Amino acid sequence: MAMRKLITTPDPRLRAKSVKVREITDETRELIADMRAASLAWEAQHPYELSAAMAAPQMGENQRIIIIRDDLDNKDNQHFTALINPEVIRTEGKIDKDQEGCLSVPEIYGLVGRPHKVKVKALLEDGTEVRLKASGYLARTLLHEIDHLDGILFIDHIKDDPTAFYRMNDNGDLVPITDYESEIRNNKDLFPDE
């Protein structure tokens, strides 16, 4: 079977709710391997960015699976942990605003508010149930990816704030998008329901 490809907006599979994985099969493990490979392939084409995580819907598969890079600060560490059927148990702490991007939302970044801490339960690839407590960037990454499983993109959290959108320049710096109306509001690929 050929490796699945990363999909981007406006593909409707990004907006669909994913189904729970009932059994971890060889096909499940193959999807996870494809997610890891696609994540690293994307990163190789984006020198200023690190591929922190991915959700199965980004591969066109509406299954409740995400992968998270083991070290979110180190491009040399290319190992990802798969979380199957991840579920947010609770969030807490102040709401932190920070930049987010998405492999499936090309060239757009945004200043998104998310809770500082999260507790998640999930299954590992071998079927072991785990409970994770995360804060800061790891909490943000988990919440971003779990949103994907419910058809939510990071832009949905900020679509009514024209000052929250950014684009990366040729030096790898994020700069505000100044013409919000033409760049974002009229972009039906990003906001098809409007």
Coordinates of all heavy atoms in Angstrom, one line a residue, residues 102-133:
C102 N -0.1 24.9 11.7 CA -0.6 23.5 11.5 C -0.2 23.1 10.1 O -0.2 23.8 9.1 CB -2.1 23.6 11.5 SG -2.9 22.0 11.2
L103 N 0.3 21.8 10.0 CA 0.7 21.2 8.8 C -0.4 21.3 7.7 O -0.1 21.3 6.5 CB 1.2 19.8 9.0 CG 2.6 19.6 9.6 CD1 2.7 20.1 11.0 CD2 2.9 18.1 9.6
S104 N -1.6 21.2 8.2 CA -2.8 21.2 7.3 C -3.4 22.6 7.0 O -4.4 22.6 6.2 CB -3.9 20.2 7.8 OG -3.4 18.9 7.8
V105 N -2.8 23.6 7.6 CA -3.3 25.0 7.3 C -2.0 25.7 6.8 O -1.4 26.4 7.5 CB -3.9 25.7 8.5 CG1 -4.4 27.1 8.2 CG2 -5.0 24.8 9.1
P106 N -1.7 25.6 5.5 CA -0.4 26.1 5.0 C -0.3 27.7 5.1 O -1.3 28.4 4.9 CB -0.4 25.7 3.5 CG -1.5 24.7 3.4 CD -2.5 24.9 4.5
E107 N 0.8 28.1 5.6 CA 1.2 29.5 5.6 C 0.5 30.4 6.5 O 0.8 31.6 6.6 CB 1.1 30.1 4.1 CG 2.0 29.3 3.1 CD 1.9 29.9 1.7 OE1 1.5 31.1 1.6 OE2 2.2 29.1 0.8
I108 N -0.4 29.9 7.3 CA -1.1 30.8 8.3 C -0.8 30.3 9.7 O -0.7 29.1 10.0 CB -2.7 30.6 8.1 CG1 -3.1 31.0 6.7 CG2 -3.4 31.4 9.1 CD1 -2.9 32.5 6.3
Y109 N -0.5 31.3 10.5 CA -0.2 31.0 12.0 C -1.1 31.9 12.8 O -1.7 32.9 12.2 CB 1.2 31.4 12.3 CG 2.2 30.6 11.4 CD1 2.5 31.0 10.1 CD2 2.7 29.4 11.8 CE1 3.3 30.2 9.2 CE2 3.5 28.6 11.0 CZ 3.8 29.0 9.7 OH 4.6 28.3 8.9
G110 N -1.3 31.6 14.0 CA -2.2 32.4 14.8 C -1.8 32.4 16.3 O -1.2 31.5 16.8
L111 N -2.3 33.5 17.0 CA -2.1 33.7 18.4 C -3.3 33.1 19.1 O -4.4 33.7 19.1 CB -1.9 35.1 18.7 CG -1.4 35.5 20.1 CD1 0.0 34.9 20.3 CD2 -1.3 37.0 20.2
V112 N -3.1 31.9 19.7 CA -4.3 31.1 20.2 C -4.2 31.0 21.7 O -3.1 30.7 22.2 CB -4.3 29.7 19.6 CG1 -5.5 28.9 20.1 CG2 -4.3 29.8 18.1
G113 N -5.3 31.3 22.4 CA -5.3 31.1 23.9 C -5.7 29.7 24.2 O -6.7 29.1 23.7
R114 N -4.9 29.0 25.1 CA -5.2 27.7 25.5 C -4.9 27.6 27.0 O -4.0 28.3 27.5 CB -4.4 26.6 24.8 CG -4.8 26.6 23.3 CD -4.4 25.2 22.7 NE -4.6 25.2 21.3 CZ -5.7 24.7 20.7 NH1 -6.7 24.2 21.4 NH2 -5.7 24.6 19.3
P115 N -5.5 26.6 27.8 CA -5.2 26.4 29.2 C -3.7 26.0 29.3 O -3.2 25.3 28.5 CB -6.2 25.3 29.6 CG -7.3 25.4 28.6 CD -6.7 25.8 27.3
H116 N -3.1 26.5 30.4 CA -1.7 26.2 30.7 C -1.5 24.7 31.0 O -0.4 24.2 30.7 CB -1.2 27.0 31.8 CG 0.3 26.9 32.1 ND1 1.2 27.4 31.3 CD2 0.9 26.2 33.1 CE1 2.4 27.0 31.7 NE2 2.3 26.3 32.8
K117 N -2.5 24.0 31.6 CA -2.3 22.6 32.0 C -3.4 21.7 31.4 O -4.5 22.2 31.3 CB -2.2 22.5 33.5 CG -1.0 23.1 34.1 CD -1.1 22.9 35.7 CE 0.1 23.6 36.3 NZ 0.1 23.5 37.8
V118 N -3.1 20.5 31.2 CA -4.1 19.5 30.7 C -3.7 18.1 31.2 O -2.6 17.8 31.4 CB -4.2 19.5 29.1 CG1 -2.9 18.9 28.5 CG2 -5.4 18.7 28.7
K119 N -4.8 17.4 31.5 CA -4.6 16.0 31.9 C -5.3 15.2 30.8 O -6.5 15.4 30.5 CB -5.2 15.7 33.3 CG -4.9 14.2 33.7 CD -5.3 14.0 35.2 CE -4.9 12.6 35.6 NZ -5.4 12.4 37.0
V120 N -4.7 14.2 30.2 CA -5.2 13.4 29.1 C -5.0 11.9 29.4 O -4.0 11.5 30.0 CB -4.4 13.7 27.8 CG1 -4.7 12.8 26.7 CG2 -4.6 15.2 27.4
K121 N -6.0 11.1 29.0 CA -5.8 9.7 29.0 C -5.9 9.1 27.6 O -6.5 9.7 26.8 CB -6.8 9.0 29.9 CG -8.2 8.9 29.4 CD -9.1 8.1 30.3 CE -10.5 7.9 29.8 NZ -11.4 7.1 30.6
A122 N -5.1 8.1 27.4 CA -5.0 7.5 26.0 C -4.5 6.1 26.1 O -4.0 5.7 27.2 CB -4.1 8.4 25.1
L123 N -4.4 5.5 24.9 CA -3.7 4.2 24.8 C -2.4 4.4 24.0 O -2.4 5.2 23.1 CB -4.6 3.2 24.1 CG -5.9 2.8 24.7 CD1 -6.7 1.8 23.7 CD2 -5.8 2.1 26.0
L124 N -1.4 3.7 24.4 CA -0.2 3.7 23.6 C -0.4 2.7 22.5 O -1.3 1.9 22.5 CB 1.0 3.3 24.5 CG 1.4 4.3 25.6 CD1 2.5 3.7 26.5 CD2 1.7 5.7 25.1
E125 N 0.6 2.6 21.6 CA 0.6 1.8 20.5 C 0.4 0.3 20.9 O -0.1 -0.5 20.1 CB 1.8 2.0 19.6 CG 1.6 1.8 18.2 CD 2.8 2.3 17.4 OE1 3.5 3.3 17.8 OE2 3.1 1.7 16.3
D126 N 1.0 -0.1 22.0 CA 0.9 -1.5 22.5 C -0.3 -1.8 23.3 O -0.5 -2.9 23.8 CB 2.2 -1.8 23.3 CG 2.2 -1.1 24.6 OD1 1.3 -0.3 25.0 OD2 3.3 -1.3 25.3
G127 N -1.2 -0.8 23.4 CA -2.5 -1.0 24.1 C -2.5 -0.6 25.5 O -3.5 -0.6 26.2
T128 N -1.4 -0.2 26.1 CA -1.3 0.2 27.5 C -2.0 1.5 27.6 O -1.8 2.5 26.9 CB 0.2 0.4 27.9 OG1 0.9 -0.8 27.6 CG2 0.3 0.8 29.3
E129 N -2.8 1.6 28.7 CA -3.5 2.8 29.0 C -2.6 3.7 29.8 O -1.9 3.3 30.7 CB -4.8 2.6 29.8 CG -5.6 3.9 30.0 CD -6.9 3.7 30.7 OE1 -7.7 3.0 30.2 OE2 -7.1 4.3 31.8
V130 N -2.5 5.0 29.4 CA -1.7 6.0 30.1 C -2.5 7.2 30.5 O -3.5 7.5 29.8 CB -0.5 6.4 29.3 CG1 0.5 5.2 29.1 CG2 -0.9 7.0 28.0
R131 N -2.1 7.9 31.5 CA -2.6 9.2 31.9 C -1.5 10.2 31.9 O -0.5 9.9 32.6 CB -3.4 9.1 33.2 CG -4.6 8.3 33.1 CD -5.4 8.2 34.5 NE -6.5 7.4 34.3 CZ -7.8 7.8 34.2 NH1 -8.0 9.1 34.2 NH2 -8.7 6.9 34.1
L132 N -1.6 11.3 31.2 CA -0.5 12.2 31.1 C -0.9 13.6 31.7 O -2.1 14.0 31.5 CB -0.2 12.5 29.6 CG 0.1 11.2 28.7 CD1 0.1 11.6 27.3 CD2 1.4 10.6 29.1
K133 N 0.0 14.2 32.4 CA -0.2 15.6 32.8 C 0.8 16.4 32.1 O 2.0 16.1 32.0 CB 0.1 15.7 34.3 CG -1.0 15.1 35.2 CD -0.7 15.3 36.7 CE -1.7 14.6 37.6 NZ -1.3 14.8 39.0

